[in-house]
Amino acid sequence: MGRKVSIVGAGPSGLLACKYALSKGHHPLVFNSQGTLGGVWTQTVETTKLQTPKPLYQFSDFPWPSSVETVFPDHNQVLDYLHAYANQFDLIKHIRFNTKVLSIKYEGSISDEEVQSWALWGGNGDPFGNKGKWVVTLQDLLNHSTEEVEVDFAILCVGRFSGVPNIPEFPKGKGPEAFQGKVMHAMDYAALDFQSGKDLIKGKRVTVVGFQKFALDIAMECCIANGVENPCTVICRTPQWNVPDYFPHGVPLAYLYLNRFAELLLHKPGEGPLLALLAFIVSPVRWGISKFVESDIKKRHRLEKFGMVPEHSFIQQMNSCLVSTVPEGFYDEAEKGSILLKRPKSWSFCKEGVVLDDKYPSEPPMKSDLVILATGFKGDEKLRHIFASPMFQHHIMGSSDTIVPLQRFGCIQPRIPQLAVIGFSESLANLYTSEMTCRWLFELLDEKFKLPSIGKMEKDIQKWDELFKTYSKKYYRRSCIGALHIWHNDQLCKDMGWNPKRKKGFWAQLFEPYGPPDYAQP
């Protein structure tokens, strides 16, 4: 008999969870605070495009329509694709829109002491447990009424890139309160309709803080609106290897990083001594490939001219899931003077604008009318606050020097029963990763395999944690499998009893890139 499964969020991960819940005969209840599906794609800037090549960002059993010919579809095309998927599998009737999840509470006969003594997930290893159920507290955002719903299993698809903005901290008297202009986070700018956004930036001296995809898109919109008359200042403390496309020196990036050969160059959690030795021996090849990509980016973006050459390597950026595409013409506009790139060690506010490297008043500030903080989100805080229990809040967060502790890299917290997290961990193609994780989860709920002991799961999480400390360095705590897609999927396939080798022939297995269609069938 199917179980009631709550799914928080109707972005790509929530749609996948709903689809696979239905395929196993469960009863999904999808709660979405927005009035439409699509997650982060419902609130973007007008010029935003997919930053992952279309072949990597697709559902395994639902290819893009032939009418979408571009490699990097725009946000409207992505939303149309998500809606088409939802309609194809009849998912919309299971979604309650404009319904916010205020909290989830586990009601059952367990104490903190019992949870700490568990040897198996949920106490007995049963994915649906025998200790209790989740009570989901909901608020209808249209009439402000609240209600509670009891479910057998909870899935959190809340994502990392929305909800709780990351706002920099400043010394007293040097924060936004010192500034006479307007300060807003990129999240609030994206929430505006396109015309309101244009009206807000038109004719203003805008400063954008940040250098990831969101920041670059907003800077381009300011550039289009104001040109050289009111150039947009971009403050970047840490330059990034943002790619012009996925073809460095004409070679597809997928052949450099998304095949089994590329993953042989990296140490992996749980690898044997032979693989560990091989990764050590061929480390110069890993370094050479990284330099090959970096040379292309430096040349095409003229990074040395703008003083924007990163100090870290491209492979470090890959392992931190910080690879993003640069809007077409961005550096051309920087050369014209429509975009001013600044690379200070520190910055703060004053009455007239932004102070760089604490040199005000000896040097004039960057005068601004509007400062937009494209400084990211606190995804872990959003995840933590959904739990009513302080004990579960503690377990989901882990410690300050570890990644969010989830088994199989972003799904199960060993000490939280009857709950999974989908879409929190990052990759070069988050939809691809979310789908594989969903398939693994519902095979687990279908009792096709059992989880190991909590002790073994926590050791596995620790191994992934150590890998991040090695490869991510300064970007540690970003849960990312960017350079280990295939290795991660191999572990999922082995759990599910699937053959992890998805190509035909030795050379194809070694050198052909893997993507979503390779996993369309078990």
Side-chain angles (χ1 to χ4, degrees), residues 12-51:
S13 296
L15 296 178
L16 282 162
C18 183
K19 185 247 188 178
Y20 284 104
L22 289 169
S23 73
K24 294 295 186 179
H26 299 300
H27 307 294
L29 304 172
V30 185
F31 306 116
N32 195 54
S33 60
Q34 297 170 308
T36 185
L37 61 85
V40 295
W41 288 102
T42 63
Q43 292 187 342
T44 64
V45 298
E46 189 171 10
T47 57
T48 295
K49 294 184 177 181
L50 190 65
Q51 63 178 0

Side-chain angles (χ1 to χ4, degrees), residues 106-115 118 122 131-132 391-392 417:
Y106 191 76
E107 293 192 346
S109 57
I110 59 170
S111 64
D112 291 5
E113 293 76 16
E114 183 180 357
V115 171
W118 283 346
K131 306 292 184 180
M391 176 182 67
F392 289 151

Side-chain angles (χ1 to χ4, degrees), residues 83-251:
H83 277 273
Y85 179 82
N87 289 326
Q88 174 70 23
F89 296 103
D90 201 19
L91 307 181
I92 295 178
K93 68 183 181 182
H94 300 282
I95 304 173
R96 289 181 54 178
F97 295 105
N98 299 301
T99 302
K100 182 179 181 180
V101 174
L102 299 178
S103 68
I104 60 173
K105 182 179 181 180
Y106 191 76
E107 293 192 346
S109 57
I110 59 170
S111 64
D112 291 5
E113 293 76 16
E114 183 180 357
V115 171
Q116 295 302 324
S117 68
W118 283 346
L120 298 174
W121 182 44
N124 63 356
D126 182 347
F128 289 103
N130 61 2
K131 306 292 184 180
K133 295 180 183 287
W134 285 101
V135 175
V136 184
T137 302
L138 307 169
Q139 181 183 44
D140 187 312
L141 297 180
L142 299 181
N143 61 29
H144 306 292
S145 63
T146 60
E147 65 174 298
E148 292 184 343
V149 175
E150 187 179 82
V151 297
D152 300 294
F153 199 92
I155 304 176
L156 306 181
C157 302
V158 296
R160 295 179 64 96
F161 306 111
S162 63
V164 182
N166 178 45
I167 306 296
E169 296 182 358
F170 300 92
K172 186 176 181 180
K174 295 186 177 182
E177 73 280 357
F179 179 46
Q180 65 181 2
K182 182 178 179 62
V183 180
M184 66 191 309
H185 191 271
M187 177 183 74
D188 300 312
Y189 176 79
L192 300 172
D193 64 75
F194 295 151
Q195 188 57 51
S196 297
K198 291 177 182 178
D199 294 341
L200 176 67
I201 62 178
K202 184 66 176 178
K204 292 187 175 67
R205 297 168 297 182
V206 182
T207 296
V208 177
V209 181
F211 209 64
Q212 281 299 309
K213 180 65 174 170
F214 220 166
L216 302 183
D217 285 345
I218 294 173
M220 279 301 290
E221 294 211 345
C222 294
C223 166
I224 293 169
N226 296 321
V228 294
E229 293 79 12
N230 284 302
C232 176
T233 300
V234 177
I235 295 178
C236 166
R237 292 197 302 175
T238 306
Q240 308 290 343
W241 294 109
N242 295 323
V243 299
D245 53 36
Y246 278 68
F247 296 90
H249 296 295
V251 179

